[in-house]
Amino acid sequence: MKRTVCAKSIFELWGHGRSPEELYSSLKNYPVEKMVPFLHSDSTYKIKIHTFNKTLTQEEKVKRIDALEFLPFEGKVNLKKPQHIFSVLEDYGLDPNCIPENPHNIYFGRWIADGQRELIESYSVKKRHFIGNTSMDAGLSFIMANHGKVKENDIVFDPFVGTGGLLIASAHFGAYVYGTDIDYNTVHGLGKASRKNQKWRGPDENIRANLRQYGLEKYYLDVLVSDASKPSWRKGTYFDAIITDPPYGIRESTRRTGSQKEIPKGMEKCPESHVPVSLSYHLSDMFFDLLNFAAETLVLGGRLVYWLPVYTPEYTEEMVPWHPCLKLISNCEQKLSSHTSRRLITMEKVKKFENRDQYSHLLSDHFLPYQGHNSFREKYFSGVTKRIAKEEKSSQE
Amino acid sequence: MKLLTHNLLSSHVRGVGPRGFPLRLQATEVRINPVEFNPDFVARMIPKLHLVEVPKGPIEGYEHDEKFLRQMHHVLLEVDVLEGTLQCPESGRLFPISRGIPNMLLSDEETET
């Protein structure tokens, strides 16, 4: 429970029913010897009522507590700091527009622990000093850190660090963090702000300041301006986890350093980086580079966690990029629009990287299907999605 | 840029390979940043380092040598290069460091294919 942002609380279930009467008889069937350790006369307790999708008055809550008098409570009630907390949980369904008179389910249990859902609020992007157009939602960044099995004293790297949102979650779990990005301005915290009503970024807006905001500055190792396809790390395995959200080519462009001849006329150059940047970095190449990089620089057992954008009508599992050194652990979908989604891919390094691995999977059929998805960006913007939406609409009428 | 990072970076100029390490560091502005000492983390980092000029290498049992770990902690994590350059020892190519951030970008012609 110290890690999850997906679970609110955990209870030891003592009874359950679809009505109060069913609940009470269920409670009467729960072995008394399991209850007694928490109810004896030296202990203090309190009972809470939680209702989901309904609000009860204080009177109604007290009535429900009183109805539990038959339970062998011998301790003293302490509302401020009880040793044991018991909860009645009433489920009124999921539709806020149709709240039933009586609950579908009632549960009674002893509270054991809470999850970390308050992190979603305390680390919310809304309150963060430095954000970008595609800063990751706080809840998702913690889920990604959990997928990466980030723990104290790990080194976590994000090769497409942007404003550092993913590093924050890892630092919260005690990892020391590195980030790189090809965009000079973002890494330095310069340029136009992403907040509505704000034109330019202020002096306290950079990745380090973000960590400082949450008291995590000691976990900041460094950020560098670097091209993820041309990394500058000395040969070796340094990272316990690589957690990243690569650009999809929609709201941030996919780029890599290019040669002078590749720059289309009229394209702005990074003023301070003095290096030409090419816009044509195909998505499939980017994942090829990312997986290879992970296979080479992760410690054995280390994890790669990243988002893979897909055009849903054509997606098949075979399209998920593959590498002989990395084992696929999980693949979870998040819908973005009616025909696009992104998949959270988690992989674990299971085999040491030898040089030849760089080439062997190029020939694999597994890999080729995603190549077709160079056009993710085109499909996203093209008339295809609009035409399909129109066709669906007319078939419904 | 921390000196720990400097120890992990290498030049990726075309043709340079393993001779791209270590990058020659010229610092024009340095700051000492106190960072909370974490012996476990420092001990974990020692084997990852390439200690080129240490005469004997870390002695056995260094994980428990607090004095040694504190010294390494100071050097690796508390010395911050704010302005300076990193230079490829083979090709001479310079990578600038500004506001503590190294810029490792090279053009296509300069990098390995």
Side-chain angles (χ1 to χ4, degrees), chain A residues 124-393:
Chain A
S124 162
V125 173
K126 286 185 263 193
K127 299 187 234 166
R128 198 165 306 154
H129 289 158
F130 178 45
I131 58 168
N133 293 339
T134 52
S135 287
M136 183 69 51
D137 161 79
L140 287 177
S141 68
F142 283 104
I143 289 175
M144 290 176 82
N146 282 334
H147 276 235
K149 287 186 145 184
V150 173
K151 56 197 182 302
E152 258 186 72
N153 302 330
D154 273 359
I155 296 195
V156 173
F157 175 56
D158 183 352
F160 301 97
V161 71
T163 56
L166 298 180
L167 298 184
I168 294 173
S170 290
H172 174 83
F173 289 133
Y176 289 77
V177 296
Y178 270 119
T180 62
D181 204 287
I182 201 172
D183 188 300
Y184 183 96
N185 283 344
T186 312
V187 177
H188 280 262
L190 303 168
K192 292 214 168 135
S194 287
R195 288 207 140 86
K196 190 173 136 177
N197 302 332
Q198 188 187 344
K199 186 134 194 242
W200 299 102
R201 288 183 168 139
D204 195 33
E205 290 186 53
N206 54 55
I207 297 166
R208 191 177 197 143
N210 269 350
L211 288 169
R212 191 182 305 135
Q213 179 185 356
Y214 303 110
L216 300 170
E217 197 178 349
K218 68 178 177 185
Y219 296 111
Y220 175 91
L221 288 175
D222 269 307
V223 295
L224 301 89
V225 182
S226 170
D227 178 342
S229 72
K230 292 161 185 157
S232 300
W233 305 99
R234 164 167 64 81
K235 196 169 156 70
T237 59
Y238 308 116
F239 306 122
D240 299 284
I242 295 172
I243 301 180
T244 191
D245 182 23
Y248 315 151
I250 307 296
R251 288 190 288 162
E252 308 280 13
S253 55
T254 52
R255 290 176 285 165
R256 64 175 163 189
T257 46
S259 63
Q260 289 288 4
K261 28 183 171 23
E262 281 181 293
I263 309 297
K265 285 206 173 81
M267 200 204 109
E268 40 136 356
K269 282 199 238 180
C270 295
E272 287 186 42
S273 69
H274 303 297
V275 170
V277 159
S278 151
L279 271 182
S280 64
Y281 190 13
H282 291 295
L283 269 185
S284 63
D285 289 345
M286 184 169 71
F287 294 114
F288 170 53
D289 286 340
L290 179 63
L291 263 66
N292 237 14
F293 176 79
E296 193 169 353
T297 58
L298 279 173
V299 303
L300 209 55
R303 290 205 164 181
L304 167 66
V305 184
Y306 73 96
W307 288 100
L308 179 74
V310 298
Y311 179 64
T312 330
E314 289 178 13
Y315 169 75
T316 64
E317 259 185 67
E318 281 78 38
M319 288 182 179
V320 176
W322 168 90
H323 193 286
C325 295
L326 304 172
K327 174 179 158 194
L328 181 67
I329 303 288
S330 68
N331 172 355
C332 311
E333 183 193 39
Q334 182 190 32
K335 277 190 160 24
L336 295 176
S337 71
S338 54
H339 297 96
T340 58
S341 59
R342 60 182 177 180
R343 307 197 72 101
L344 185 60
I345 307 290
T346 304
M347 305 186 89
E348 188 169 299
K349 178 169 170 178
V350 294
K351 195 174 125 187
K352 210 174 131 190
F353 183 88
E354 328 284 349
N355 238 325
R356 59 171 183 271
D357 289 337
Q358 263 189 323
Y359 309 105
S360 67
H361 79 292
L362 257 186
L363 306 169
S364 153
D365 286 333
H366 278 198
F367 193 71
L368 296 173
Y370 196 80
Q371 292 238 350
H373 274 37
N374 281 342
S375 44
F376 176 76
R377 183 169 199 271
E378 286 145 30
K379 294 217 160 97
Y380 185 92
F381 285 126
S382 77
V384 174
T385 44
K386 290 194 191 133
R387 181 173 47 83
I388 291 179
K390 248 195 192 160
E391 283 169 352
E392 280 182 350
K393 193 170 172 214

Side-chain angles (χ1 to χ4, degrees), chain A residues 50-106:
Chain A
H50 294 278
T51 51
F52 298 94
N53 199 28
K54 188 173 193 139
T55 324
L56 295 180
T57 63
Q58 190 59 19
E59 240 185 86
E60 288 170 310
K61 288 190 183 180
V62 171
K63 245 176 62 182
R64 282 154 169 76
I65 296 178
D66 288 342
L68 293 168
E69 262 180 344
F70 66 92
L71 288 172
F73 284 100
E74 281 175 40
K76 289 201 180 53
V77 172
N78 182 327
L79 294 177
K80 287 227 164 92
K81 271 200 163 159
Q83 282 170 301
H84 305 294
I85 300 177
F86 300 93
S87 290
V88 176
L89 305 154
E90 297 191 352
D91 165 21
Y92 288 86
L94 296 172
D95 187 350
N97 295 320
C98 179
I99 303 176
E101 181 65 37
N102 295 311
H104 299 308
N105 288 289
I106 317 178

